[in-house]
Amino acid sequence: IHLARETIKGCENRGRRRRGRGSSSSESELSMNPRVQRYLVAIEYIGTRFSGSQQQAKDRTVVGVLQEAFRKFVGQPVKILCSSRTDAGVHALSNVCHIDVERISKRKPGEVLPPHEPGVVQRAVNHFLQGNDGDVMVTDVRSVPSNYHARYKARERTYFYRLLSGSDPLSILEKDRAWHVPEELDLRSMQEACRVLVGSHDFTSFRAAGCQAKSPVRCLDEFNVIEVPSTPYFPSIMERAESILNNGDDPLTYPSQTKTETASDTTNFGGTFGIRRRHRCYVVTARARGFLYHQVRLLVGALKCVGTGELTVSDIERILEAKTVSAAKPMAPASGLYLARVKYELP
């Protein structure tokens, strides 16, 4: 009897600790149910038509669509918790969530069956997602212990942000996939600004007014910007050979460029009619254990201003030291932001 009381007391204490970290009591009770299997689920999505990742009463969200697909699969409502919240318009190459599923027989209601294999879960849920605009997909599933939490077990998160620089209108293939900056960007100055921001700092100046984090201190383990090839056009062998012969550049690799390409550039395969001008593409990488609300978009907004000459590297230092929410320039739009990876130490 004494041992049973101690066990119950220990479970209650663990439940209180979970609730103190933001988990609800219902979630704690569900995760302790031995008949329930918890799955860690990786998903990718195009954020354009979503009002963010978190479920909302009326608007279409990533979690809402995913929960509906799981409901159709398992035949009962489920609750999904994401590792990282993304805003409306933000994309994910890989976001991660967890879900608890109790497999009940559809032929014999009340009969509990062995859990589905992860591969079965992935294929079945993707089947139901296909009829929902096709802008979210399950990319991986793993069975995990009942106390494995997608948010609290995450070791680090990586975001990418894409900027396309050039005076021409953005291609429809890039619509809502990048931030179009008409001006030329000074890559070297942007990289210098990144070095100021990397590391552990009080990022009060780079968080939105609605941020609920208790501390503004975050450590940016990685923060940099590079230039990468931007075109979705893939040249033939003949065109590649001609470009290398004339310019020494392979158009499938990143060439060293000094200006935005025009239709008359030889690197644009002889200025062939119908081939649009290419923009210069810059990718910002931000990696940390966690981020403040809108932190990455505010940082990128400041970097863009450095690139166009609106701000100097010294201005970035001044904004960082100001430690006030109103110090930063307007943040970058959501369309260029991608949650790239959430890293775990899997059991």
Side-chain angles (χ1 to χ4, degrees), residues 42-46 50 62 91-95 129 134-140 339:
I43 55 175
E44 64 179 11
Y45 50 86
I46 300 169
F50 288 112
V62 175
H91 316 293
L93 303 177
S94 183
N95 199 348
L129 286 172
D135 46 9
V136 58
M137 176 179 286
V138 175
T139 60
D140 207 353
L339 174 57

Side-chain angles (χ1 to χ4, degrees), residues 18 33 42 64 83 88 93 99 101 116 118 120 127 133 149 165 231 238 244 261 276 283 306-307 310 322:
R18 287 194 187 92
N33 187 340
S83 65
L93 303 177
I99 177 172
V101 175
H116 289 290
V120 174
H127 168 75
D133 291 338
H149 199 287
S165 169
T231 180
M238 183 179 296
I244 293 173
E261 296 176 21
R276 68 153 46 244
V283 175
V306 172
E310 299 171 64

Side-chain angles (χ1 to χ4, degrees), residues 162-183:
R162 297 180 69 237
L163 303 98
L164 292 179
S165 169
S167 58
D168 279 15
L170 208 60
S171 165
I172 59 171
L173 299 177
E174 292 285 7
K175 183 181 179 183
D176 298 322
R177 304 291 196 277
W179 183 9
H180 179 211
V181 180
E183 304 94 336

Side-chain angles (χ1 to χ4, degrees), residues 179 297-298 300-302 305 328-332:
W179 183 9
R297 289 168 63 187
L298 284 165
V300 173
C305 290
K329 286 284 185 178
M331 67 182 178

Side-chain angles (χ1 to χ4, degrees), residues 25-333:
S25 58
S26 60
E27 180 201 346
S28 298
E29 291 166 3
L30 184 60
S31 65
M32 297 301 291
N33 187 340
R35 305 195 311 178
V36 169
Q37 175 63 59
R38 175 163 290 189
Y39 296 100
L40 201 64
V41 180
I43 55 175
E44 64 179 11
Y45 50 86
I46 300 169
T48 307
R49 293 189 295 273
F50 288 112
S51 296
S53 60
Q54 295 302 107
Q55 187 175 23
Q56 299 179 28
K58 298 181 180 180
D59 296 325
R60 183 173 185 265
T61 66
V62 175
V63 165
V65 167
L66 196 58
Q67 286 185 161
E68 178 60 16
F70 264 96
R71 185 194 65 78
K72 291 178 179 178
F73 169 45
V74 302
Q76 56 186 326
V78 296
K79 182 178 181 181
I80 294 176
L81 293 172
C82 279
S83 65
S84 305
R85 296 182 180 182
T86 57
D87 295 328
V90 175
H91 316 293
L93 303 177
S94 183
N95 199 348
V96 179
C97 54
H98 74 248
I99 177 172
D100 295 309
V101 175
E102 185 178 25
R103 186 184 176 193
I104 304 296
S105 173
K106 295 180 180 179
R107 295 181 178 180
K108 297 180 180 180
E111 180 182 356
V112 180
L113 301 176
H116 289 290
E117 290 296 319
V120 174
V121 175
Q122 181 176 347
R123 290 190 296 272
V125 173
N126 278 334
H127 168 75
F128 290 110
L129 286 172
Q130 286 177 4
N132 210 313
D133 291 338
D135 46 9
V136 58
M137 176 179 286
V138 175
T139 60
D140 207 353
V141 179
R142 178 172 293 206
S143 299
V144 293
S146 59
N147 63 348
Y148 200 91
H149 199 287
R151 179 182 175 188
Y152 301 124
K153 290 291 186 178
R155 305 299 297 172
E156 67 179 22
R157 296 162 173 86
T158 301
Y159 283 90
F160 295 150
Y161 196 100
R162 297 180 69 237
L163 303 98
L164 292 179
S165 169
S167 58
D168 279 15
L170 208 60
S171 165
I172 59 171
L173 299 177
E174 292 285 7
K175 183 181 179 183
D176 298 322
R177 304 291 196 277
W179 183 9
H180 179 211
V181 180
E183 304 94 336
E184 290 190 9
L185 295 173
D186 184 340
L187 179 59
R188 184 168 295 180
S189 294
M190 294 168 68
Q191 290 173 334
E192 190 177 344
C194 285
R195 288 191 284 271
V196 170
L197 295 164
V198 75
S200 182
H201 303 284
D202 181 331
F203 282 103
T204 298
S205 296
F206 294 97
R207 69 169 174 173
C211 183
Q212 298 178 352
K214 294 180 180 179
S215 171
V217 176
R218 290 293 185 273
C219 181
L220 280 178
D221 297 311
E222 179 181 356
F223 191 62
N224 60 56
V225 56
I226 60 173
E227 187 172 358
V228 300
S230 65
T231 180
Y233 176 74
F234 300 100
S236 68
I237 294 177
M238 183 179 296
E239 288 169 326
R240 290 184 64 181
E242 182 180 326
S243 183
I244 293 173
L245 179 63
N246 293 334
N247 307 282
D249 288 330
D250 186 337
L252 280 184
T253 63
Y254 163 63
S256 176
Q257 301 173 16
T258 57
K259 63 184 181 68
T260 304
E261 296 176 21
T262 67
S264 61
D265 288 340
T266 53
T267 53
N268 206 6
F269 317 122
T272 305
F273 175 78
I275 302 301
R276 68 153 46 244
R277 298 179 184 181
R278 287 188 281 173
H279 294 80
R280 299 184 71 164
C281 183
Y282 302 89
V283 175
V284 179
T285 300
R287 179 171 56 87
R289 187 180 183 105
F291 293 89
L292 301 168
Y293 184 44
H294 285 166
Q295 181 182 357
V296 177
R297 289 168 63 187
L298 284 165
L299 289 169
V300 173
L303 278 189
K304 176 262 183 185
C305 290
V306 172
T308 59
E310 299 171 64
L311 293 176
T312 65
V313 176
S314 296
D315 289 329
I316 298 299
E317 295 174 335
R318 174 183 53 79
I319 292 171
L320 183 64
E321 291 301 319
K323 298 182 178 63
T324 174
V325 175
S326 60
K329 286 284 185 178
M331 67 182 178

